[in-house]
Amino acid sequence: MIYTITFNPSIDYFVSLDNLTVGQLNRSAVEFFKAGGKGINVSQVLTNFGLNNIALGFVGGFTGKKLVDLLNENNINNDMIFIENQNTRINVKISANNETEINADGIFVDEKDVDNLIIKLKDIKFDDYVVISGNISKKCSINLYKYLVEKIKTLCNNIVVDCSGDLLKSVLKLEPFLVKPNLKELEQFANSELKTDYDIKQAMIKMQKCGAKNVLLSKGSDKAVFLRTDGLFYEKEPYKGKVVNTIGCGDSMVAGFIYEYIKTGDTKKAFNFSVAVSSASAFKTGLADKNDLKKLDLDI
Amino acid sequence: MIYTITFNPSIDYFVSLDNLTVGQLNRSAVEFFKAGGKGINVSQVLTNFGLNNIALGFVGGFTGKKLVDLLNENNINNDMIFIENQNTRINVKISANNETEINADGIFVDEKDVDNLIIKLKDIKFDDYVVISGNISKKCSINLYKYLVEKIKTLCNNIVVDCSGDLLKSVLKLEPFLVKPNLKELEQFANSELKTDYDIKQAMIKMQKCGAKNVLLSKGSDKAVFLRTDGLFYEKEPYKGKVVNTIGCGDSMVAGFIYEYIKTGDTKKAFNFSVAVSSASAFKTGLADKNDLKKLDLDI
């Protein structure tokens, strides 16, 4: 089984207007809601590819109930922890002359809540996968994140982590099976600008030395780079196509890697497939599914 | 009994951040929700003054349920019509270096829904009051608004209307007991800029000639002007104090007028009281209550 964990999911509220004027009353023309959260995106792609998984996370209030409704509508298996007296955050996504986002901080979670989440993993096997994607609310201590990963580490060997900054640093020594930084996150980790391929690879090696087994770097439209447990590097450019949406492409990459790795046990194939799924997500408004891959000239 | 009707209420989502940058990801520091809607504000003030009333309106979805929860938390009697497969709109109120608002269009309502609302008025008496405050979604025809007011007119003699533009024009001939334009709305009606007191009074007289019995003009920090059924004008400056919030001041004025008019039957007293209640709402974050009036040097 694969479990995904989204610490701080959201209801994404998309509003569309011709022009956003700061300091004034603006009127939107179109509005809709989507379930937001990096782990939830991973679950959506795994579900789209027919791989059984359960989305876990912390939700609350009327927005939390709506989030679960949205997951159910999208056939995403889920088993969320409800936090009392708090609401799942609403992130506002404004599509106008520019794309402007206002992300809220989110809900406060404590050790007891994390323990309740661990209870949801009671049937986990040591060779199952747990994908922990996205950051936590600023209200929560970094130690809480580490506490969660430590607890999971005792239950399962294959932890995938996609977070940034001090959160990522705090859990590397727990030897996650896979980490997936983007360039900005890798630079944060290295504490320096990474201008050349050499710089990038050195930073990835450093990340591995800190504990990560496999390091998967997403670099958007440029390329993806993979550092295998044994020190071998792979690189791959994204597939060619018209990019219509890059939201969730990194999460699609994580899902693609896991899908192919579980199927073949081959990290090179898994890496190549991860790039294909990420590209396929970039070419559509939603997230990739099996049919989208048929349109690519796959070279896995 | 007093009934208030809000055609298109909202959940107001307040987010607060240091600086809103268009074209970027912004992170908010504080978020909270409030029930929004002009009729709902009137109901809140009437409730604060201990005057029994029922808030009616059209709501839908998870945001509609939340709206009703918020009304109940604020002790506002309500009996909302639930519209299927639609959500009550969320209006985003951004407090940063500037105040920026993004208001959504809202839910579509049809004649059947209006008929369902009329059923809620089954116990109404001819000398009761119905306050219809706020505009309708652009998705709805103006005729629907007129249809609602026409139906109510057969049931009740005292209709108060607070709306703008063509909506207002369409219902004046139904002889509402009171209309409450602000200066912008009066200018819209007159189709010209109203520079002098004379211009303003002429426009108010025109509004009365079109059917309105009493015309109450709110002019913010400047003054309020009242035109009585018999053609007599009253004017009054707002009370002196530190203005902290002008949201809902116009609605407070409507509520204040109705409260005092029902108590005394005296339009002059009602007008004076309406200015006091509006001022009291401006001096606090929420809407005025009885205690706030004690702080003013009342001259009713």
Side-chain angles (χ1 to χ4, degrees), chain B residues 133-248:
Chain B
S133 271
N135 294 321
I136 62 177
S137 154
K138 272 185 263 169
K139 297 182 197 98
C140 302
S141 147
I142 288 172
N143 290 336
L144 190 75
Y145 190 82
K146 198 176 155 211
Y147 176 75
L148 169 74
V149 182
E150 276 171 350
K151 287 253 175 182
I152 293 170
K153 184 72 188 175
T154 65
L155 304 171
C156 165
N157 197 37
N158 303 314
I159 296 178
V160 178
V161 171
D162 183 3
C163 63
S164 57
D166 291 336
L167 282 188
L168 179 55
K169 278 185 191 165
S170 76
V171 297
L172 284 175
K173 61 177 68 107
L174 297 170
E175 299 182 351
F177 167 71
L178 180 71
V179 295
K180 196 220 65 59
N182 57 30
L183 183 60
K184 195 178 153 196
E185 288 160 347
L186 190 66
E187 288 183 330
Q188 261 186 337
F189 169 76
N191 207 17
S192 71
E193 205 182 334
L194 304 173
K195 287 179 189 166
T196 65
D197 273 10
Y198 177 80
D199 294 342
I200 286 170
K201 285 184 178 171
Q202 287 306 112
M204 289 173 74
I205 289 168
K206 190 179 164 194
M207 200 171 263
Q208 197 172 60
K209 280 190 178 154
C210 286
K213 288 180 190 162
N214 297 288
V215 182
L216 175 55
L217 173 75
S218 60
K219 272 189 74 190
S221 60
D222 182 12
K223 64 179 170 184
V225 186
F226 180 67
L227 172 57
R228 212 166 71 170
T229 317
D230 60 4
L232 206 64
F233 274 99
Y234 296 113
E235 296 184 27
K236 191 167 173 58
E237 286 181 15
Y239 286 75
K240 303 272 180 259
K242 189 168 179 272
V243 173
V244 294
N245 156 53
T246 60
I247 294 173

Side-chain angles (χ1 to χ4, degrees), chain A residues 13 21-28 31 33 62 66 87 90 92 94 98-105, chain B residues 13 20-28 31 33 62 66 87 90 94 98-105:
Chain A
Y13 180 44
T21 311
V22 171
Q24 292 209 357
L25 170 61
N26 301 267
R27 295 195 181 274
S28 78
E31 310 97 32
F33 299 100
F62 75 113
K66 176 68 178 179
N87 295 308
I90 294 182
V92 184
I94 306 160
N98 282 295
E99 307 280 315
T100 306
E101 297 178 70
I102 306 171
N103 282 6
D105 184 37
Chain B
Y13 179 44
L20 174 67
T21 312
V22 171
Q24 292 209 357
L25 171 61
N26 300 268
R27 295 193 182 274
S28 79
E31 309 98 31
F33 300 101
F62 75 114
K66 176 67 178 180
N87 295 308
I90 294 182
I94 306 159
N98 281 296
E99 307 279 316
T100 306
E101 296 178 72
I102 305 171
N103 282 6
D105 183 38

Side-chain angles (χ1 to χ4, degrees), chain B:
Chain B
M1 177 58 80
I2 306 164
Y3 300 87
T4 70
I5 297 174
T6 311
F7 228 99
N8 194 10
S10 62
I11 296 286
D12 289 348
Y13 179 44
F14 290 82
V15 295
S16 174
L17 53 160
D18 286 341
N19 188 40
L20 174 67
T21 312
V22 171
Q24 292 209 357
L25 171 61
N26 300 268
R27 295 193 182 274
S28 79
V30 180
E31 309 98 31
F32 61 93
F33 300 101
K34 271 190 179 176
K38 291 172 74 65
I40 286 169
N41 288 343
V42 174
S43 273
Q44 179 73 72
V45 176
L46 292 175
T47 304
N48 290 353
F49 279 81
L51 205 54
N52 203 6
N53 72 92
I54 299 172
L56 304 174
F58 304 102
V59 299
F62 75 114
T63 41
K65 280 183 205 149
K66 176 67 178 180
L67 186 83
V68 171
D69 287 346
L70 289 167
L71 297 181
N72 292 337
E73 281 168 26
N74 289 330
N75 302 311
I76 298 175
N77 291 330
N78 64 85
D79 195 3
M80 293 284 157
I81 309 281
F82 268 84
I83 308 291
E84 274 185 30
N85 302 321
Q86 294 189 70
N87 295 308
T88 289
R89 62 186 172 152
I90 294 182
N91 291 339
V92 185
K93 313 285 179 187
I94 306 159
S95 167
N97 39 345
N98 281 296
E99 307 279 316
T100 306
E101 296 178 72
I102 305 171
N103 282 6
D105 183 38
I107 54 180
F108 172 77
V109 167
D110 64 17
E111 256 188 47
K112 170 183 57 57
D113 302 315
V114 168
D115 290 339
N116 285 335
L117 189 138
I118 297 297
I119 293 169
K120 304 268 187 193
L121 295 170
K122 65 183 188 305
D123 297 328
I124 197 169
K125 296 187 188 73
F126 202 62
D127 59 351
D128 280 346
Y129 287 79
V130 180
V131 182
I132 310 164
S133 271
N135 294 321
I136 62 177
S137 154
K138 272 185 263 169
K139 297 182 197 98
C140 302
S141 147
I142 288 172
N143 290 336
L144 190 75
Y145 190 82
K146 198 176 155 211
Y147 176 75
L148 169 74
V149 182
E150 276 171 350
K151 287 253 175 182
I152 293 170
K153 184 72 188 175
T154 65
L155 304 171
C156 165
N157 197 37
N158 303 314
I159 296 178
V160 178
V161 171
D162 183 3
C163 63
S164 57
D166 291 336
L167 282 188
L168 179 55
K169 278 185 191 165
S170 76
V171 297
L172 284 175
K173 61 177 68 107
L174 297 170
E175 299 182 351
F177 167 71
L178 180 71
V179 295
K180 196 220 65 59
N182 57 30
L183 183 60
K184 195 178 153 196
E185 288 160 347
L186 190 66
E187 288 183 330
Q188 261 186 337
F189 169 76
N191 207 17
S192 71
E193 205 182 334
L194 304 173
K195 287 179 189 166
T196 65
D197 273 10
Y198 177 80
D199 294 342
I200 286 170
K201 285 184 178 171
Q202 287 306 112
M204 289 173 74
I205 289 168
K206 190 179 164 194
M207 200 171 263
Q208 197 172 60
K209 280 190 178 154
C210 286
K213 288 180 190 162
N214 297 288
V215 182
L216 175 55
L217 173 75
S218 60
K219 272 189 74 190
S221 60
D222 182 12
K223 64 179 170 184
V225 186
F226 180 67
L227 172 57
R228 212 166 71 170
T229 317
D230 60 4
L232 206 64
F233 274 99
Y234 296 113
E235 296 184 27
K236 191 167 173 58
E237 286 181 15
Y239 286 75
K240 303 272 180 259
K242 189 168 179 272
V243 173
V244 294
N245 156 53
T246 60
I247 294 173
C249 286
D251 309 324
S252 301
M253 189 172 262
V254 170
F257 188 95
I258 294 168
Y259 175 85
E260 189 67 14
Y261 186 75
I262 287 178
K263 214 171 100 184
T264 64
D266 183 326
T267 45
K268 186 178 178 187
K269 280 187 180 172
F271 169 59
N272 286 343
F273 196 74
S274 80
V275 176
V277 178
S278 175
S279 298
S281 278
F283 302 153
K284 66 188 290 196
T285 311
L287 296 167
D289 59 36
K290 271 187 171 174
N291 285 328
D292 297 319
L293 280 214
K294 287 179 191 159
K295 296 171 203 158
L296 303 179
D297 186 18
L298 279 192
D299 52 349
I300 306 301

Side-chain angles (χ1 to χ4, degrees), chain A:
Chain A
M1 176 59 80
I2 306 164
Y3 300 87
T4 70
I5 297 173
T6 311
F7 228 99
N8 194 11
S10 62
I11 297 286
D12 289 349
Y13 180 44
F14 291 81
V15 295
S16 173
L17 53 160
D18 286 340
N19 188 42
L20 174 67
T21 311
V22 171
Q24 292 209 357
L25 170 61
N26 301 267
R27 295 195 181 274
S28 78
V30 179
E31 310 97 32
F32 62 93
F33 299 100
K34 271 191 180 177
K38 292 171 74 63
I40 285 169
N41 288 342
V42 173
S43 272
Q44 180 72 72
V45 177
L46 292 174
T47 304
N48 290 352
F49 279 82
L51 204 54
N52 203 7
N53 72 92
I54 299 172
L56 304 174
F58 304 102
V59 299
F62 75 113
T63 41
K65 280 183 204 149
K66 176 68 178 179
L67 186 83
V68 170
D69 287 346
L70 289 167
L71 297 181
N72 292 336
E73 282 167 25
N74 288 331
N75 302 311
I76 298 175
N77 291 330
N78 64 85
D79 195 3
M80 294 284 156
I81 309 283
F82 267 83
I83 308 292
E84 274 185 29
N85 302 321
Q86 293 189 71
N87 295 308
T88 290
R89 61 186 173 153
I90 294 182
N91 291 340
V92 184
K93 313 285 178 186
I94 306 160
S95 167
N97 39 344
N98 282 295
E99 307 280 315
T100 306
E101 297 178 70
I102 306 171
N103 282 6
D105 184 37
I107 54 179
F108 172 78
V109 167
D110 64 16
E111 256 187 46
K112 171 183 56 59
D113 302 317
V114 168
D115 290 339
N116 285 334
L117 189 139
I118 297 297
I119 292 169
K120 304 269 188 192
L121 296 169
K122 64 182 189 306
D123 297 326
I124 198 169
K125 296 185 187 74
F126 202 63
D127 59 351
D128 280 346
Y129 287 79
V130 180
V131 182
I132 310 163
S133 271
N135 295 320
I136 63 176
S137 154
K138 271 184 261 167
K139 298 184 197 96
C140 302
S141 149
I142 288 173
N143 290 335
L144 190 74
Y145 190 83
K146 199 177 156 210
Y147 175 75
L148 169 74
V149 182
E150 276 171 351
K151 286 254 174 183
I152 294 170
K153 184 72 188 175
T154 64
L155 304 171
C156 164
N157 197 37
N158 303 314
I159 297 177
V160 178
V161 172
D162 184 4
C163 62
S164 56
D166 290 337
L167 281 188
L168 179 55
K169 278 184 191 165
S170 77
V171 296
L172 284 175
K173 63 176 68 109
L174 297 169
E175 299 181 349
F177 166 72
L178 179 73
V179 294
K180 195 220 65 58
N182 57 30
L183 183 61
K184 195 177 153 196
E185 288 160 346
L186 191 65
E187 287 183 330
Q188 260 186 337
F189 169 76
N191 207 17
S192 71
E193 206 182 332
L194 304 173
K195 287 179 187 165
T196 66
D197 274 9
Y198 177 81
D199 295 342
I200 287 172
K201 286 185 177 171
Q202 287 305 113
M204 290 174 74
I205 289 169
K206 190 179 164 194
M207 200 171 262
Q208 198 172 60
K209 279 190 179 154
C210 286
K213 288 180 189 161
N214 296 288
V215 182
L216 174 57
L217 173 75
S218 60
K219 273 189 75 190
S221 60
D222 182 12
K223 64 178 169 185
V225 186
F226 180 68
L227 171 58
R228 212 166 69 171
T229 317
D230 61 3
L232 207 65
F233 274 101
Y234 296 112
E235 296 185 28
K236 192 166 172 60
E237 286 182 15
Y239 286 75
K240 302 274 180 257
K242 188 169 180 272
V243 174
V244 293
N245 156 52
T246 59
I247 295 172
C249 286
D251 308 324
S252 301
M253 190 173 262
V254 169
F257 188 96
I258 294 168
Y259 175 85
E260 189 68 14
Y261 185 75
I262 287 178
K263 214 172 97 184
T264 64
D266 183 326
T267 46
K268 187 179 177 188
K269 280 186 179 172
F271 170 59
N272 286 343
F273 196 74
S274 79
V275 175
V277 178
S278 176
S279 297
S281 278
F283 302 153
K284 65 189 291 197
T285 311
L287 296 168
D289 59 37
K290 270 187 171 172
N291 285 328
D292 297 318
L293 281 214
K294 287 179 190 157
K295 296 170 202 158
L296 303 179
D297 186 18
L298 279 192
D299 52 348
I300 305 301

